[in-house]
Amino acid sequence: MSYDIYFFNRPDGQSWDELLEAMEKAAEDSEPIPAHLLGAWDRIVPQARTLLGAVEITEYERESRDLSHLGTGIDLSVFGDEVTITVPYWHAGDDAAVVFGQVSALAAIVEKETGLTAYDPQTERPLAETPPEVPVELMSRTTEDLRSRYEG
């Protein structure tokens, strides 16, 4: 289980639900990464390294790119024209606040370099419109719930 952030180019008048539905349908098709996203990837990676430190990069031809930070579990993926950030439910309390600060900063870099909008499906609104304490609380609560299930 992970806290997910999706990136969209949202046409005027299209609802977030319609965008999510279109994304699910498009996920069935494997397309190469568009050139503009490959260029953005090349600009994002050095900035992500500055933000996160050591990261692992996985590239598969023109189909996918993945950046993983082992210490936090933060993962940035590009698959075709889909861009996502995920972070596992490992973090609670102050740790969740620090990690979600990094997720938000990485999302801002992705938005700047791709022109896409970060959307938080957990809160059902753009990340920029989500007060930072809301995802931190969601992450903390879910992490603690999962821990109690597996430790008890």
Side-chain angles (χ1 to χ4, degrees):
M1 291 182 71
S2 62
Y3 199 103
D4 305 326
I5 304 296
Y6 303 138
F7 293 85
F8 293 113
N9 181 13
R10 182 175 169 211
D12 289 338
Q14 188 175 33
S15 74
W16 290 108
D17 287 338
E18 290 169 334
L19 262 176
L20 288 169
E21 188 177 310
M23 185 181 99
E24 287 175 14
K25 287 180 183 175
E28 298 167 6
D29 303 324
S30 179
E31 298 287 329
I33 299 172
H36 73 279
L37 285 181
L38 286 173
W41 177 262
D42 291 340
R43 295 185 303 275
I44 291 167
V45 169
Q47 294 175 72
R49 283 188 169 124
T50 299
L51 173 67
L52 300 171
V55 294
E56 185 176 301
I57 305 293
T58 306
E59 298 181 353
Y60 181 71
E61 298 179 5
R62 284 200 54 183
E63 292 180 22
S64 67
R65 300 286 186 271
D66 191 75
L67 178 146
S68 299
H69 183 251
L70 299 179
T72 60
I74 294 171
D75 188 81
L76 169 63
S77 297
V78 180
F79 182 77
D81 64 353
E82 291 182 33
V83 181
T84 60
I85 294 175
T86 60
V87 61
Y89 287 111
W90 296 347
H91 313 283
D94 291 342
D95 185 40
V98 169
V99 169
F100 205 81
Q102 292 172 311
V103 168
S104 296
L106 182 58
I109 292 167
V110 173
E111 284 184 319
K112 179 184 75 159
E113 297 299 343
T114 65
L116 301 172
T117 300
Y119 177 78
D120 181 340
Q122 289 81 200
T123 63
E124 299 181 336
R125 59 181 134 177
L127 186 60
E129 295 175 14
T130 305
E133 63 274 7
V134 173
V136 169
E137 174 58 31
L138 283 168
M139 183 178 288
S140 294
R141 193 170 55 238
T142 303
T143 298
E144 293 298 340
D145 180 54
L146 290 170
R147 285 179 184 161
S148 71
R149 292 180 193 204
Y150 295 106
E151 292 174 358

